[in-house]
Amino acid sequence: MSQMRRRELLKSSASALLAATMAPAGRLARAETPGHRSIDLDKLTVLHSDEGVLLSYSVRFDLPRDLEQALSKGIAVVFVAEANVFRKRWYWTDQPKGEITRRWRLAYQPLTRRWKLNLDGLSRHYTNLNEALDALRRTDRWRIADAIPGAEDQECYVDFSFRLDTDELPRPLQIGLGGLSDWNLDVQRRAWVPALR
């Protein structure tokens, strides 16, 4: 059997496994409307004080039906918020001033019928999925860098991103994700750091 044929068989097997995992009993799950934007950034605020550079954000998204079904079957998903602070330089590449990441692992526990959200080794439990999602959709006054000296702060900016980390999904699901663009929950934005107050 040729290597190309093996790849095709592996891909079709993974797609079948994905369909079986995601589908409600006896029928395939409904796809999202084509062109539907599934994630938006409602708020991104950067404050600069003696405490450091503080970031507040709020994202709005609904889980695709396939992803929600995967969660209810016990597959955990990971969401990532990342902020990088740079000082703009015309003569060289921009200078990194801070980099920080937050990772949430969301999983359903069938025995207790509760949702578990893990952040940096700390876990919280929720009675329903919306409560768990609300806890990771927004953050206030997240310290992402030290205070920047006054001579530099006018030239600094933050690159922020929030996404579903599909690399953390089980391998068979990763292989079958080719046609599931709705699972690509990802939003990015840039904001300037205000002067130190």
Side-chain angles (χ1 to χ4, degrees):
M1 185 182 293
S2 71
Q3 199 165 7
M4 182 177 282
R5 178 72 181 138
R6 281 189 196 134
R7 279 192 208 134
E8 288 175 11
L9 283 172
L10 179 61
K11 189 171 182 181
S12 64
S13 298
S15 296
L17 174 63
L18 177 66
T21 303
M22 303 304 140
R27 68 179 201 277
L28 289 176
R30 176 181 56 85
E32 295 289 317
T33 307
H36 171 69
R37 181 169 173 80
S38 53
I39 185 166
D40 284 302
L41 186 60
D42 284 341
K43 176 179 98 170
L44 181 65
T45 306
V46 180
L47 300 174
H48 190 193
S49 70
D50 292 334
E51 296 177 56
V53 180
L54 308 174
L55 184 138
S56 299
Y57 68 86
S58 175
V59 294
R60 177 170 35 92
F61 64 88
D62 293 318
L63 293 181
R65 182 178 234 170
D66 292 340
L67 179 54
E68 193 169 334
Q69 288 173 355
L71 273 165
S72 68
K73 293 180 192 303
I75 295 174
V77 297
V78 174
F79 290 90
V80 179
E82 190 171 30
N84 294 282
V85 182
F86 294 95
R87 180 188 175 204
K88 195 146 188 73
R89 297 191 292 194
W90 62 269
Y91 58 89
W92 197 250
T93 58
D94 293 349
Q95 178 186 16
K97 302 295 285 185
E99 177 182 344
I100 194 164
T101 302
R102 274 189 172 170
R103 301 175 70 80
W104 293 267
R105 185 177 186 276
L106 177 63
Y108 180 64
Q109 299 179 309
L111 290 177
T112 59
R113 296 186 180 180
R114 300 182 80 190
W115 294 88
K116 180 180 178 182
L117 187 62
N118 186 293
L119 171 64
D120 298 331
L122 300 174
S123 298
R124 291 192 63 185
H125 293 84
Y126 298 88
T127 55
N128 63 61
L129 178 58
N130 282 333
E131 288 178 1
L133 289 175
D134 283 343
L136 63 86
R137 282 181 176 131
R138 63 183 56 85
T139 294
D140 288 317
R141 299 180 66 85
W142 178 23
R143 187 176 183 277
I144 59 173
D146 294 332
I148 301 167
E152 300 179 5
D153 65 3
Q154 293 291 328
E155 303 164 340
C156 291
Y157 62 90
V158 178
D159 279 342
F160 171 78
S161 68
F162 183 94
R163 63 187 167 84
L164 169 68
D165 191 350
T166 54
D167 292 338
E168 293 284 340
L169 293 169
R171 188 69 182 154
L173 291 184
Q174 291 182 37
I175 294 169
L177 277 180
L180 296 176
S181 60
D182 292 328
W183 285 44
N184 295 327
L185 297 174
D186 187 351
V187 66
Q188 301 175 13
R189 190 77 51 86
R190 176 172 291 181
W192 289 95
V193 176
L196 181 63
R197 292 185 179 181

